[in-house]
Amino acid sequence: MNKLALYCRVGFEKEVAGEISDKAAELGVFGFANLKENSGFVIFECYQIGEADRLARALDLRSLIFVRQMIVVGNLLQDLPENDRISPILAEYQPLAPKNSSEIVVETPDTNEAKELLTFCRKFTVPLRAALRKQGWLGAKPSAKNSITLHILFIGSGKCYAGYAYNFNRSPHFMGIPRLKFPADAPSRSTLKLEEAILAFVPAADEKKRLNENMIGVDLGACPGGWTYQLVKRGLFVYAVDHGKMAASLHDTGRIEHCAEDGFKFQPPKRKQIDWLVCDMVEQPMRIAKLIAKWLVNGWCRETIFNLKLPMKKRYQEVKLCLAFLQDELTKQGLWFTIQAKHLYHDREEITVHIAVLGKKS
Ligand SMILES: C[S@@+](CC[C@H](N)C(=O)[O-])C[C@H]1O[C@@H](n2cnc3c(N)ncnc32)[C@H](O)[C@@H]1O
């Protein structure tokens, strides 16, 4: 097994290929990205033996923007016999240590055609899990050091990759997709983007400390209020900046002030320390990056989540330019910060970025 299978949104395979080639090279790993457009996954074949496993351990999944899940796989298993699909899969796992494995998941890429196999995948998991257990697999605790989850990726009927991911470096979500329920009282479906972003960027154990009723937020491009809703739900008071109309239900909370202003000109009210800036304005990505840099450099907010709308072409290059610009600006000003970017499940032609300022060099 010396390949990585990387799951992504359909249509973003080229971005994944570019990104994995860059990030692997930074770790001194070289390989070849094999992709089929609109397949929802990319195979990255490493040139040196053992390197796919090294990437699965050393390349933080959270640092990959366009990748939802990353698993080590071998060659595609094809023409699995209908009367015994399990034996070839068990044979594929032979070189691994059974005791390290904690669970098995049977998945497909996130395409309409592949998803037709999901009922089969669910049913197939049961006998496969039983067969693995019988041979001493799946006994590890998920939290055990270097334990792995086995992943089977079915890309067509009778065709799958058998692989694994380290539990400390995998998405806990089936197919790498968090299933969020749309809150019935939220003003727009966009609300799920910010909810997923908070889930991705703020560890659950920190959420109360980092988002609470003693805090103030600013939402640039707030209408009708899906993102403001998420902040208000967590107790924040929110300045909602937009020329549009905010949902009446948000006004009723008494936790917002609607500012019908231009988000590029808005400044935080005097003597108010803003904790969170969120921004979902549809604008050129570099213009948004410059605006966010201005807020952080001026110390107008501590943490921010914002979207960068992607251009039609050279999407990965544009993302790299914007992130490099932000890194440079903040570093030049002596700020200590963390930056993460992700193409979330609820994002379409955009990515979501999180920056937290931790301090300033004196
Ligand atoms: C994608 S929508 C935001 C949806 C919102 N996040 C939600 O969850 O309901 C983009 C919003 O940005 C606003 N917008 C665009 N340019 C703006 C600007 N320069 N200043 C303020 N708002 C702007 C638009 O009026 C629109 O309401």
Side-chain angles (χ1 to χ4, degrees), residues 17-36:
E19 193 179 18
I20 187 65
S21 304
D22 280 0
K23 295 274 168 63
E26 282 168 19
L27 292 171
V29 176
F30 298 93
F32 171 73
N34 210 325
L35 68 91
K36 193 168 138 219

Side-chain angles (χ1 to χ4, degrees), residues 23 26 56-57 64 69 74 85 91-92 95 98 131 138 147 172 177 202 223 230 259 262-263 297 316-317 326 329:
K23 295 274 168 63
E26 282 168 19
R57 282 180 281 121
L64 293 170
Q69 186 67 286
R85 295 184 181 92
E92 187 73 4
L138 311 183
S147 62
I177 300 173
V202 181
C223 290
Q230 289 294 333
C259 311
D262 182 344
V297 165
Y316 177 48
Q317 279 85 338
L326 281 159
E329 285 299 296

Side-chain angles (χ1 to χ4, degrees), residues 108 114-125:
T108 70
K115 278 194 294 195
E116 285 173 13
L117 293 166
L118 278 177
T119 310
F120 158 78
C121 290
R122 206 176 44 243
K123 285 188 188 150
F124 182 58
T125 309

Side-chain angles (χ1 to χ4, degrees), residues 188 190-191 219-227 241-244 261-264 280-282 309:
S188 68
S190 302
T191 201
D219 183 355
L220 301 178
C223 290
W227 284 33
V241 183
D242 199 311
H243 283 292
E261 294 179 42
D262 182 344
F264 287 94
D280 188 23
M281 291 190 289
V282 181
K309 311 289 170 188

